[in-house]
Amino acid sequence: MYTGIFKSPIGLLKIEADNNAILSIRFSNTDIPEEVQHSNHPIIVEAITQMAEYFTGNRISFSLPLDINGTAFQKKVWQQVSTIKFGKTRTYSDIAYETGSEKAVRAVGNANSKNKFLIIIPCHRVVGSRGQLTGYSDGLWRKEWLLNHEKKLAAQTKPNHLSDRAGVIY
């Protein structure tokens, strides 16, 4: 297992990977020992590069190999969440409907809370039924920051070489 740390404007992102894929990207609210912070593994280096590009406004989609583990329903939700365009939002109810489980709104929220690939699988783009910010385990202030960051960038002219989809590799 390899670990790297990216110091984002909204906190430390801990990136874990094996030889083949990213295992998780999560915010860390604790100090991480210096020896764990820097991995030269190519997957970690690429993830840190892509995160830096995202936070500086030079990337709106990701192309990283992910090792996604979860139930069939969770994977279905995460796949649907991955289709939300950069700078846009959808509601928990929308995601429930789009996964064919229109009454499973709470289950969608629960699946989002289990997402180990923050920002890459953009669960921050899922909002309450009236557009209110709800349900972000790493703090609603972070969700608000990410949404504002993306809306600002989406309003600007997009570079031609970047797509407007999350572009997750499963």
Side-chain angles (χ1 to χ4, degrees), residues 2-165:
Y2 304 95
T3 303
I5 299 297
F6 174 71
K7 294 178 182 177
S8 83
I10 55 175
L12 297 178
L13 281 168
K14 183 179 181 183
I15 303 166
E16 296 179 321
D18 62 16
N19 281 322
N20 302 310
I22 301 291
L23 303 174
S24 71
I25 297 180
R26 305 282 311 198
F27 284 104
S28 176
N29 294 319
T30 60
D31 289 335
I32 297 165
E34 188 67 31
E35 64 272 8
V36 183
Q37 292 188 24
H38 306 290
S39 171
N40 291 328
H41 192 278
I43 292 175
I44 295 287
V45 170
E46 184 59 25
I48 288 171
T49 298
Q50 290 189 29
M51 282 293 150
E53 291 169 351
Y54 169 85
F55 280 101
T56 59
N58 295 314
R59 174 174 292 275
I60 62 174
S61 64
F62 296 90
S63 109
L64 294 166
L66 305 178
D67 184 3
I68 298 176
N69 291 305
T71 67
F73 180 76
Q74 287 170 335
K75 288 179 179 181
K76 200 173 189 182
V77 167
W78 299 330
Q79 183 64 44
Q80 196 61 42
V81 168
S82 294
T83 69
I84 303 172
K85 292 182 178 186
F86 186 88
K88 303 291 183 188
T89 59
R90 291 221 294 276
T91 67
Y92 292 96
S93 182
D94 291 338
I95 301 299
Y97 179 80
E98 292 162 1
T99 60
S101 305
E102 28 316 298
K103 294 185 181 185
V105 176
R106 287 184 189 212
V108 167
N110 187 45
N112 266 355
S113 75
K114 305 280 192 271
N115 175 13
K116 293 182 181 180
F117 304 96
L118 298 182
I119 303 169
I120 295 175
I121 297 177
C123 57
H124 61 278
R125 296 180 191 158
V126 184
V127 297
S129 60
R130 292 182 282 287
Q132 75 274 25
L133 301 185
T134 61
Y136 198 67
S137 61
D138 287 299
L140 288 180
W141 69 272
R142 282 188 173 121
K143 184 173 190 164
E144 181 177 28
W145 191 98
L146 291 166
L147 290 173
N148 287 337
H149 172 69
E150 291 183 2
K151 284 179 185 174
K152 182 177 103 179
L153 291 173
Q156 299 171 358
T157 305
K158 294 179 191 167
N160 291 334
H161 66 283
L162 298 177
S163 75
D164 63 355
R165 299 294 292 264

